[in-house]
mmCIF file of all heavy atoms in Angstrom:
data_model
loop_
_atom_site.group_PDB
_atom_site.id
_atom_site.type_symbol
_atom_site.label_atom_id
_atom_site.label_comp_id
_atom_site.label_asym_id
_atom_site.label_seq_id
_atom_site.Cartn_x
_atom_site.Cartn_y
_atom_site.Cartn_z
ATOM 1 N N GLU A 1 173.128 45.207 52.236
ATOM 2 C CA GLU A 1 173.706 45.603 53.506
ATOM 3 C C GLU A 1 174.005 47.079 53.560
ATOM 4 O O GLU A 1 173.636 47.823 54.497
ATOM 5 C CB GLU A 1 174.922 44.818 53.835
ATOM 6 C CG GLU A 1 175.548 45.128 55.181
ATOM 7 C CD GLU A 1 176.769 44.315 55.533
ATOM 8 O OE1 GLU A 1 177.680 44.232 54.671
ATOM 9 O OE2 GLU A 1 176.863 43.702 56.611
ATOM 10 N N ARG A 2 174.650 47.578 52.501
ATOM 11 C CA ARG A 2 174.977 49.042 52.499
ATOM 12 C C ARG A 2 173.720 49.833 52.411
ATOM 13 O O ARG A 2 173.611 50.968 52.911
ATOM 14 C CB ARG A 2 175.920 49.364 51.316
ATOM 15 C CG ARG A 2 177.362 49.185 51.668
ATOM 16 C CD ARG A 2 178.280 49.644 50.553
ATOM 17 N NE ARG A 2 178.574 48.514 49.628
ATOM 18 C CZ ARG A 2 179.316 48.645 48.546
ATOM 19 N NH1 ARG A 2 179.805 49.821 48.176
ATOM 20 N NH2 ARG A 2 179.551 47.597 47.784
ATOM 21 N N TRP A 3 172.705 49.317 51.665
ATOM 22 C CA TRP A 3 171.409 49.982 51.571
ATOM 23 C C TRP A 3 170.827 50.211 53.001
ATOM 24 O O TRP A 3 170.401 51.297 53.335
ATOM 25 C CB TRP A 3 170.499 49.161 50.728
ATOM 26 C CG TRP A 3 169.064 49.544 50.636
ATOM 27 C CD1 TRP A 3 167.980 48.941 51.215
ATOM 28 C CD2 TRP A 3 168.490 50.637 49.914
ATOM 29 N NE1 TRP A 3 166.823 49.554 50.936
ATOM 30 C CE2 TRP A 3 167.102 50.625 50.107
ATOM 31 C CE3 TRP A 3 169.037 51.624 49.105
ATOM 32 C CZ2 TRP A 3 166.242 51.542 49.525
ATOM 33 C CZ3 TRP A 3 168.193 52.581 48.519
ATOM 34 C CH2 TRP A 3 166.800 52.531 48.760
ATOM 35 N N GLN A 4 170.810 49.127 53.792
ATOM 36 C CA GLN A 4 170.291 49.205 55.120
ATOM 37 C C GLN A 4 171.151 50.143 55.992
ATOM 38 O O GLN A 4 170.639 50.932 56.834
ATOM 39 C CB GLN A 4 170.251 47.846 55.759
ATOM 40 C CG GLN A 4 169.113 46.950 55.227
ATOM 41 C CD GLN A 4 168.959 45.732 56.128
ATOM 42 O OE1 GLN A 4 169.886 44.999 56.376
ATOM 43 N NE2 GLN A 4 167.760 45.553 56.604
ATOM 44 N N ARG A 5 172.472 50.070 55.846
ATOM 45 C CA ARG A 5 173.361 50.961 56.563
ATOM 46 C C ARG A 5 173.033 52.407 56.337
ATOM 47 O O ARG A 5 172.902 53.205 57.258
ATOM 48 C CB ARG A 5 174.812 50.680 56.150
ATOM 49 C CG ARG A 5 175.851 51.568 56.802
ATOM 50 C CD ARG A 5 177.138 51.594 55.971
ATOM 51 N NE ARG A 5 176.958 52.157 54.651
ATOM 52 C CZ ARG A 5 177.874 52.214 53.705
ATOM 53 N NH1 ARG A 5 179.076 51.706 53.905
ATOM 54 N NH2 ARG A 5 177.588 52.731 52.511
ATOM 55 N N ASN A 6 172.835 52.743 55.063
ATOM 56 C CA ASN A 6 172.558 54.152 54.694
ATOM 57 C C ASN A 6 171.174 54.557 55.274
ATOM 58 O O ASN A 6 171.052 55.701 55.725
ATOM 59 C CB ASN A 6 172.515 54.264 53.148
ATOM 60 C CG ASN A 6 173.856 54.041 52.559
ATOM 61 O OD1 ASN A 6 174.884 53.974 53.214
ATOM 62 N ND2 ASN A 6 173.853 53.859 51.216
ATOM 63 N N LEU A 7 170.199 53.668 55.242
ATOM 64 C CA LEU A 7 168.904 54.007 55.751
ATOM 65 C C LEU A 7 168.959 54.183 57.267
ATOM 66 O O LEU A 7 168.252 55.080 57.835
ATOM 67 C CB LEU A 7 167.876 52.940 55.367
ATOM 68 C CG LEU A 7 167.368 53.003 53.949
ATOM 69 C CD1 LEU A 7 166.721 51.691 53.559
ATOM 70 C CD2 LEU A 7 166.357 54.150 53.851
ATOM 71 N N ALA A 8 169.743 53.362 57.954
ATOM 72 C CA ALA A 8 169.886 53.484 59.391
ATOM 73 C C ALA A 8 170.414 54.863 59.801
ATOM 74 O O ALA A 8 169.922 55.518 60.690
ATOM 75 C CB ALA A 8 170.736 52.416 59.971
ATOM 76 N N VAL A 9 171.434 55.317 59.047
ATOM 77 C CA VAL A 9 172.001 56.675 59.312
ATOM 78 C C VAL A 9 170.977 57.761 59.029
ATOM 79 O O VAL A 9 170.796 58.659 59.820
ATOM 80 C CB VAL A 9 173.225 56.875 58.423
ATOM 81 C CG1 VAL A 9 173.702 58.327 58.477
ATOM 82 C CG2 VAL A 9 174.356 55.953 58.838
ATOM 83 N N ALA A 10 170.249 57.646 57.905
ATOM 84 C CA ALA A 10 169.234 58.632 57.565
ATOM 85 C C ALA A 10 168.122 58.672 58.595
ATOM 86 O O ALA A 10 167.618 59.722 58.979
ATOM 87 C CB ALA A 10 168.684 58.333 56.159
ATOM 88 N N LEU A 11 167.695 57.497 59.083
ATOM 89 C CA LEU A 11 166.643 57.449 60.111
ATOM 90 C C LEU A 11 167.157 58.037 61.421
ATOM 91 O O LEU A 11 166.402 58.741 62.113
ATOM 92 C CB LEU A 11 166.173 56.021 60.316
ATOM 93 C CG LEU A 11 165.266 55.478 59.206
ATOM 94 C CD1 LEU A 11 165.128 53.921 59.350
ATOM 95 C CD2 LEU A 11 163.888 56.106 59.310
ATOM 96 N N GLY A 12 168.399 57.808 61.751
ATOM 97 C CA GLY A 12 168.986 58.454 62.951
ATOM 98 C C GLY A 12 168.971 59.943 62.841
ATOM 99 O O GLY A 12 168.662 60.670 63.805
ATOM 100 N N ASN A 13 169.293 60.452 61.631
ATOM 101 C CA ASN A 13 169.283 61.889 61.448
ATOM 102 C C ASN A 13 167.865 62.455 61.504
ATOM 103 O O ASN A 13 167.659 63.570 61.995
ATOM 104 C CB ASN A 13 169.938 62.243 60.125
ATOM 105 C CG ASN A 13 171.453 62.023 60.164
ATOM 106 O OD1 ASN A 13 172.075 62.212 61.195
ATOM 107 N ND2 ASN A 13 172.028 61.630 59.021
ATOM 108 N N ALA A 14 166.889 61.712 60.953
ATOM 109 C CA ALA A 14 165.503 62.117 61.014
ATOM 110 C C ALA A 14 165.052 62.147 62.489
ATOM 111 O O ALA A 14 164.364 63.092 62.929
ATOM 112 C CB ALA A 14 164.614 61.179 60.209
ATOM 113 N N ARG A 15 165.404 61.119 63.252
ATOM 114 C CA ARG A 15 165.044 61.047 64.684
ATOM 115 C C ARG A 15 165.602 62.281 65.410
ATOM 116 O O ARG A 15 164.875 62.921 66.208
ATOM 117 C CB ARG A 15 165.594 59.779 65.280
ATOM 118 C CG ARG A 15 165.463 59.651 66.790
ATOM 119 C CD ARG A 15 166.081 58.360 67.296
ATOM 120 N NE ARG A 15 166.113 58.381 68.768
ATOM 121 C CZ ARG A 15 167.106 58.878 69.470
ATOM 122 N NH1 ARG A 15 168.198 59.417 68.874
ATOM 123 N NH2 ARG A 15 167.110 58.810 70.792
ATOM 124 N N ARG A 16 166.837 62.602 65.151
ATOM 125 C CA ARG A 16 167.430 63.791 65.845
ATOM 126 C C ARG A 16 166.736 65.094 65.376
ATOM 127 O O ARG A 16 166.579 66.019 66.196
ATOM 128 C CB ARG A 16 168.933 63.832 65.501
ATOM 129 C CG ARG A 16 169.765 62.792 66.258
ATOM 130 C CD ARG A 16 171.147 62.614 65.637
ATOM 131 N NE ARG A 16 171.989 61.744 66.477
ATOM 132 C CZ ARG A 16 171.912 60.411 66.523
ATOM 133 N NH1 ARG A 16 171.006 59.771 65.802
ATOM 134 N NH2 ARG A 16 172.705 59.713 67.303
ATOM 135 N N ALA A 17 166.397 65.145 64.103
ATOM 136 C CA ALA A 17 165.709 66.358 63.619
ATOM 137 C C ALA A 17 164.355 66.538 64.317
ATOM 138 O O ALA A 17 164.001 67.639 64.701
ATOM 139 C CB ALA A 17 165.532 66.297 62.099
ATOM 140 N N TRP A 18 163.613 65.420 64.455
ATOM 141 C CA TRP A 18 162.329 65.554 65.078
ATOM 142 C C TRP A 18 162.460 65.833 66.599
ATOM 143 O O TRP A 18 161.652 66.541 67.219
ATOM 144 C CB TRP A 18 161.494 64.270 64.886
ATOM 145 C CG TRP A 18 161.061 64.067 63.450
ATOM 146 C CD1 TRP A 18 161.315 63.002 62.647
ATOM 147 C CD2 TRP A 18 160.297 64.986 62.611
ATOM 148 N NE1 TRP A 18 160.801 63.166 61.392
ATOM 149 C CE2 TRP A 18 160.127 64.352 61.364
ATOM 150 C CE3 TRP A 18 159.751 66.233 62.856
ATOM 151 C CZ2 TRP A 18 159.486 64.996 60.340
ATOM 152 C CZ3 TRP A 18 159.066 66.856 61.818
ATOM 153 C CH2 TRP A 18 158.914 66.232 60.557
ATOM 154 N N LEU A 19 163.455 65.247 67.240
ATOM 155 C CA LEU A 19 163.728 65.554 68.667
ATOM 156 C C LEU A 19 164.030 67.040 68.884
ATOM 157 O O LEU A 19 163.588 67.637 69.854
ATOM 158 C CB LEU A 19 164.863 64.710 69.189
ATOM 159 C CG LEU A 19 164.606 63.238 69.490
ATOM 160 C CD1 LEU A 19 165.893 62.501 69.790
ATOM 161 C CD2 LEU A 19 163.595 63.103 70.619
ATOM 162 N N ALA A 20 164.723 67.608 67.907
ATOM 163 C CA ALA A 20 165.066 69.025 67.995
ATOM 164 C C ALA A 20 163.821 69.897 67.819
ATOM 165 O O ALA A 20 163.810 71.042 68.187
ATOM 166 C CB ALA A 20 166.097 69.374 66.959
ATOM 167 N N GLN A 21 162.788 69.329 67.248
ATOM 168 C CA GLN A 21 161.529 70.088 67.031
ATOM 169 C C GLN A 21 160.463 69.548 67.986
ATOM 170 O O GLN A 21 159.283 69.497 67.658
ATOM 171 C CB GLN A 21 161.078 69.934 65.583
ATOM 172 C CG GLN A 21 162.089 70.473 64.575
ATOM 173 C CD GLN A 21 161.626 70.262 63.140
ATOM 174 O OE1 GLN A 21 160.484 70.481 62.840
ATOM 175 N NE2 GLN A 21 162.602 69.867 62.294
ATOM 176 N N GLY A 22 160.869 69.143 69.161
ATOM 177 C CA GLY A 22 160.002 68.501 70.105
ATOM 178 C C GLY A 22 158.740 69.280 70.516
ATOM 179 O O GLY A 22 157.743 68.715 70.944
ATOM 180 N N ALA A 23 158.784 70.591 70.329
ATOM 181 C CA ALA A 23 157.645 71.426 70.666
ATOM 182 C C ALA A 23 156.461 71.189 69.691
ATOM 183 O O ALA A 23 155.323 71.492 70.006
ATOM 184 C CB ALA A 23 158.015 72.929 70.684
ATOM 185 N N LEU A 24 156.772 70.645 68.532
ATOM 186 C CA LEU A 24 155.708 70.411 67.549
ATOM 187 C C LEU A 24 154.866 69.250 67.982
ATOM 188 O O LEU A 24 155.359 68.232 68.530
ATOM 189 C CB LEU A 24 156.348 70.148 66.155
ATOM 190 C CG LEU A 24 157.174 71.257 65.581
ATOM 191 C CD1 LEU A 24 157.796 70.840 64.261
ATOM 192 C CD2 LEU A 24 156.385 72.554 65.358
ATOM 193 N N VAL A 25 153.593 69.304 67.739
ATOM 194 C CA VAL A 25 152.663 68.306 68.194
ATOM 195 C C VAL A 25 152.997 66.929 67.672
ATOM 196 O O VAL A 25 152.908 65.909 68.339
ATOM 197 C CB VAL A 25 151.218 68.663 67.825
ATOM 198 C CG1 VAL A 25 150.241 67.548 68.146
ATOM 199 C CG2 VAL A 25 150.785 69.980 68.516
ATOM 200 N N TYR A 26 153.410 66.871 66.390
ATOM 201 C CA TYR A 26 153.585 65.587 65.718
ATOM 202 C C TYR A 26 154.997 65.059 65.869
ATOM 203 O O TYR A 26 155.291 63.916 65.512
ATOM 204 C CB TYR A 26 153.233 65.667 64.221
ATOM 205 C CG TYR A 26 153.952 66.804 63.500
ATOM 206 C CD1 TYR A 26 155.202 66.623 62.990
ATOM 207 C CD2 TYR A 26 153.272 67.979 63.310
ATOM 208 C CE1 TYR A 26 155.849 67.649 62.344
ATOM 209 C CE2 TYR A 26 153.893 69.020 62.641
ATOM 210 C CZ TYR A 26 155.203 68.870 62.171
ATOM 211 O OH TYR A 26 155.797 69.885 61.501
ATOM 212 N N ALA A 27 155.905 65.811 66.428
ATOM 213 C CA ALA A 27 157.279 65.363 66.519
ATOM 214 C C ALA A 27 157.459 64.113 67.389
ATOM 215 O O ALA A 27 158.129 63.175 67.014
ATOM 216 C CB ALA A 27 158.186 66.501 67.021
ATOM 217 N N PRO A 28 156.857 64.051 68.592
ATOM 218 C CA PRO A 28 157.003 62.844 69.433
ATOM 219 C C PRO A 28 156.500 61.598 68.706
ATOM 220 O O PRO A 28 157.072 60.490 68.859
ATOM 221 C CB PRO A 28 156.161 63.151 70.685
ATOM 222 C CG PRO A 28 156.155 64.642 70.751
ATOM 223 C CD PRO A 28 156.099 65.104 69.327
ATOM 224 N N GLU A 29 155.399 61.711 67.957
ATOM 225 C CA GLU A 29 154.894 60.587 67.229
ATOM 226 C C GLU A 29 155.912 60.122 66.170
ATOM 227 O O GLU A 29 156.154 58.912 65.991
ATOM 228 C CB GLU A 29 153.563 60.929 66.561
ATOM 229 C CG GLU A 29 152.955 59.815 65.758
ATOM 230 C CD GLU A 29 151.704 60.238 65.045
ATOM 231 O OE1 GLU A 29 151.157 61.311 65.328
ATOM 232 O OE2 GLU A 29 151.245 59.429 64.182
ATOM 233 N N LYS A 30 156.487 61.065 65.451
ATOM 234 C CA LYS A 30 157.473 60.716 64.444
ATOM 235 C C LYS A 30 158.642 60.003 65.096
ATOM 236 O O LYS A 30 159.159 59.001 64.548
ATOM 237 C CB LYS A 30 157.968 62.022 63.766
ATOM 238 C CG LYS A 30 156.916 62.745 62.951
ATOM 239 C CD LYS A 30 156.832 62.245 61.554
ATOM 240 C CE LYS A 30 156.017 63.132 60.638
ATOM 241 N NZ LYS A 30 155.978 62.642 59.285
ATOM 242 N N VAL A 31 159.169 60.539 66.200
ATOM 243 C CA VAL A 31 160.288 59.931 66.870
ATOM 244 C C VAL A 31 159.937 58.529 67.307
ATOM 245 O O VAL A 31 160.775 57.579 67.135
ATOM 246 C CB VAL A 31 160.724 60.792 68.047
ATOM 247 C CG1 VAL A 31 161.801 60.046 68.911
ATOM 248 C CG2 VAL A 31 161.263 62.139 67.614
ATOM 249 N N GLY A 32 158.777 58.316 67.810
ATOM 250 C CA GLY A 32 158.349 56.991 68.267
ATOM 251 C C GLY A 32 158.280 55.993 67.158
ATOM 252 O O GLY A 32 158.710 54.833 67.277
ATOM 253 N N LEU A 33 157.782 56.397 66.003
ATOM 254 C CA LEU A 33 157.695 55.501 64.856
ATOM 255 C C LEU A 33 159.065 55.097 64.403
ATOM 256 O O LEU A 33 159.308 53.925 64.081
ATOM 257 C CB LEU A 33 156.952 56.179 63.723
ATOM 258 C CG LEU A 33 155.438 56.349 63.909
ATOM 259 C CD1 LEU A 33 154.876 57.174 62.775
ATOM 260 C CD2 LEU A 33 154.752 54.957 63.885
ATOM 261 N N ILE A 34 159.982 56.043 64.360
ATOM 262 C CA ILE A 34 161.342 55.740 63.911
ATOM 263 C C ILE A 34 162.048 54.775 64.886
ATOM 264 O O ILE A 34 162.658 53.798 64.480
ATOM 265 C CB ILE A 34 162.192 57.017 63.765
ATOM 266 C CG1 ILE A 34 161.685 57.818 62.525
ATOM 267 C CG2 ILE A 34 163.686 56.696 63.561
ATOM 268 C CD1 ILE A 34 162.298 59.185 62.406
ATOM 269 N N GLU A 35 161.896 55.057 66.166
ATOM 270 C CA GLU A 35 162.581 54.227 67.188
ATOM 271 C C GLU A 35 162.026 52.785 67.153
ATOM 272 O O GLU A 35 162.795 51.836 67.263
ATOM 273 C CB GLU A 35 162.424 54.840 68.568
ATOM 274 C CG GLU A 35 163.278 56.142 68.703
ATOM 275 C CD GLU A 35 163.125 56.756 70.096
ATOM 276 O OE1 GLU A 35 162.198 56.399 70.839
ATOM 277 O OE2 GLU A 35 163.975 57.647 70.402
ATOM 278 N N ALA A 36 160.709 52.674 67.011
ATOM 279 C CA ALA A 36 160.127 51.368 66.976
ATOM 280 C C ALA A 36 160.582 50.557 65.731
ATOM 281 O O ALA A 36 160.859 49.354 65.800
ATOM 282 C CB ALA A 36 158.583 51.498 66.973
ATOM 283 N N ALA A 37 160.705 51.263 64.607
ATOM 284 C CA ALA A 37 161.142 50.610 63.397
ATOM 285 C C ALA A 37 162.576 50.145 63.485
ATOM 286 O O ALA A 37 162.923 49.002 63.060
ATOM 287 C CB ALA A 37 160.971 51.557 62.198
ATOM 288 N N LEU A 38 163.420 50.964 64.028
ATOM 289 C CA LEU A 38 164.823 50.630 64.211
ATOM 290 C C LEU A 38 164.982 49.424 65.158
ATOM 291 O O LEU A 38 165.707 48.472 64.922
ATOM 292 C CB LEU A 38 165.655 51.819 64.716
ATOM 293 C CG LEU A 38 165.823 52.983 63.705
ATOM 294 C CD1 LEU A 38 166.355 54.213 64.430
ATOM 295 C CD2 LEU A 38 166.739 52.564 62.597
ATOM 296 N N GLN A 39 164.262 49.486 66.292
ATOM 297 C CA GLN A 39 164.283 48.395 67.299
ATOM 298 C C GLN A 39 163.795 47.097 66.692
ATOM 299 O O GLN A 39 164.361 45.985 66.978
ATOM 300 C CB GLN A 39 163.485 48.763 68.516
ATOM 301 C CG GLN A 39 164.072 49.895 69.334
ATOM 302 C CD GLN A 39 165.180 49.408 70.275
ATOM 303 O OE1 GLN A 39 165.628 48.248 70.222
ATOM 304 N NE2 GLN A 39 165.661 50.293 71.146
ATOM 305 N N GLN A 40 162.778 47.186 65.880
ATOM 306 C CA GLN A 40 162.155 45.971 65.309
ATOM 307 C C GLN A 40 163.123 45.143 64.488
ATOM 308 O O GLN A 40 163.077 43.894 64.511
ATOM 309 C CB GLN A 40 160.968 46.326 64.487
ATOM 310 C CG GLN A 40 160.165 45.179 63.912
ATOM 311 C CD GLN A 40 158.933 45.607 63.129
ATOM 312 O OE1 GLN A 40 158.383 46.691 63.404
ATOM 313 N NE2 GLN A 40 158.470 44.785 62.229
ATOM 314 N N ARG A 41 163.989 45.780 63.775
ATOM 315 C CA ARG A 41 164.876 45.052 62.856
ATOM 316 C C ARG A 41 166.279 44.770 63.466
ATOM 317 O O ARG A 41 167.051 44.049 62.856
ATOM 318 C CB ARG A 41 165.032 45.820 61.569
ATOM 319 C CG ARG A 41 163.754 45.925 60.733
ATOM 320 C CD ARG A 41 163.999 46.425 59.333
ATOM 321 N NE ARG A 41 164.798 45.528 58.514
ATOM 322 C CZ ARG A 41 164.362 44.454 57.887
ATOM 323 N NH1 ARG A 41 163.091 44.099 57.988
ATOM 324 N NH2 ARG A 41 165.160 43.710 57.153
ATOM 325 N N LEU A 42 166.518 45.287 64.676
ATOM 326 C CA LEU A 42 167.847 45.068 65.265
ATOM 327 C C LEU A 42 168.251 43.584 65.382
ATOM 328 O O LEU A 42 169.403 43.254 65.065
ATOM 329 C CB LEU A 42 167.850 45.672 66.678
ATOM 330 C CG LEU A 42 168.532 47.011 66.834
ATOM 331 C CD1 LEU A 42 168.429 47.516 68.296
ATOM 332 C CD2 LEU A 42 170.016 46.937 66.441
#
C-alpha cells in the first residue's frame, strides 16, 4: 500500500512536470500515459 502511495505521488509530480513543459512535442503524450495509468487503477 505504501509502495503504491509513493508511486502515485511520484506520478503526480511527473504529470505536473510534463504539463509545465507542454511546448515540447512529447509532453502531451507523456501526460496522457500517466493520466490513463492512474485512472486505470483507481
